[in-house]
Amino acid sequence: MIRKRSSQDDTIIFRLIEQELVPLSHLSAQEMNQIRKELPRRLNRGITFVACRPDNAQVVGFIHVMLHGELLYIDLIAISSAHQGMRYGKKLLEHAEHYGRLRRCKRAKVMVDEDNIRGIHFYLRHQYQMLRYVALSRCHELEKSL
């Protein structure tokens, strides 16, 4: 089941970020601490969808997106390691892209950390195209037409 985030989900979302995304980041401890402080405000700037197991309301993953005109920007996505490979990421991505299409977005874009090989392959499998490598942020920029 996919639904909009509620404030009760934030603890799990923050834990998923720590467990699944932070280890893949190249940022320094100081930069990560600054991002942690900004996370609540960041999540309120866009929309976050959560994936729950069908047998209960346990959140197993989330996707956070922002709209910029005709662009759907995928800001964060994480699935608990125990639930990876169960299509939760695919369902969240499809839900977010559908949300973007309903709001007249023409394309979706994401930045993936250079060391997140699984993430890069995930987007390539879902028809995203590699645009460029951004050396300053040490990320790959991928895009898909909606």
Side-chain angles (χ1 to χ4, degrees):
M1 174 177 83
I2 307 291
R3 63 171 172 77
K4 281 186 181 180
R5 159 189 161 250
S6 70
S7 58
Q8 291 91 355
D9 299 324
D10 287 357
T11 301
I12 294 169
I13 289 171
F14 296 153
R15 186 175 338 120
L16 285 170
I17 291 168
E18 288 295 328
Q19 293 172 346
E20 306 301 333
L21 299 179
V22 169
L24 299 171
S25 178
H26 64 277
L27 298 176
S28 69
Q30 182 180 358
E31 291 169 313
M32 286 307 306
N33 286 335
Q34 183 63 34
I35 288 172
R36 285 180 185 98
K37 282 195 278 187
E38 296 170 0
L39 266 175
R41 189 174 46 217
R42 184 173 173 178
L43 289 177
N44 287 329
R45 283 199 307 258
I47 185 163
T48 304
F49 299 105
V50 297
C52 301
R53 291 175 37 134
D55 57 341
N56 62 27
Q58 177 190 357
V59 173
V60 298
F62 76 95
I63 188 168
H64 176 70
V65 299
M66 293 184 265
L67 302 176
H68 299 287
E70 294 183 342
L71 174 69
L72 175 73
Y73 180 72
I74 301 164
D75 184 39
L76 298 163
I77 183 172
I79 308 300
S80 73
S81 57
H83 295 90
Q84 290 176 11
M86 299 176 152
R87 305 177 75 98
Y88 286 108
K90 177 182 192 276
K91 291 175 185 174
L92 282 166
L93 184 61
E94 288 173 348
H95 193 86
E97 289 172 351
H98 179 71
Y99 172 82
R101 280 188 210 94
L102 289 176
R103 279 145 189 86
R104 302 178 193 260
C105 290
K106 303 286 188 223
R107 56 197 173 97
K109 186 177 284 194
V110 63
M111 301 290 281
V112 181
D113 285 308
E114 66 183 356
D115 293 333
N116 187 352
I117 304 305
R118 287 186 70 191
I120 292 167
H121 288 293
F122 171 78
Y123 288 106
L124 292 173
R125 278 194 315 273
H126 292 93
Q127 285 74 54
Y128 280 74
Q129 303 295 316
M130 189 76 69
L131 291 182
R132 64 187 174 127
Y133 175 75
V134 182
L136 183 63
S137 61
R138 296 175 60 186
C139 291
H140 295 278
E141 183 178 21
L142 294 97
E143 185 176 87
K144 175 182 180 177
S145 295
L146 297 177

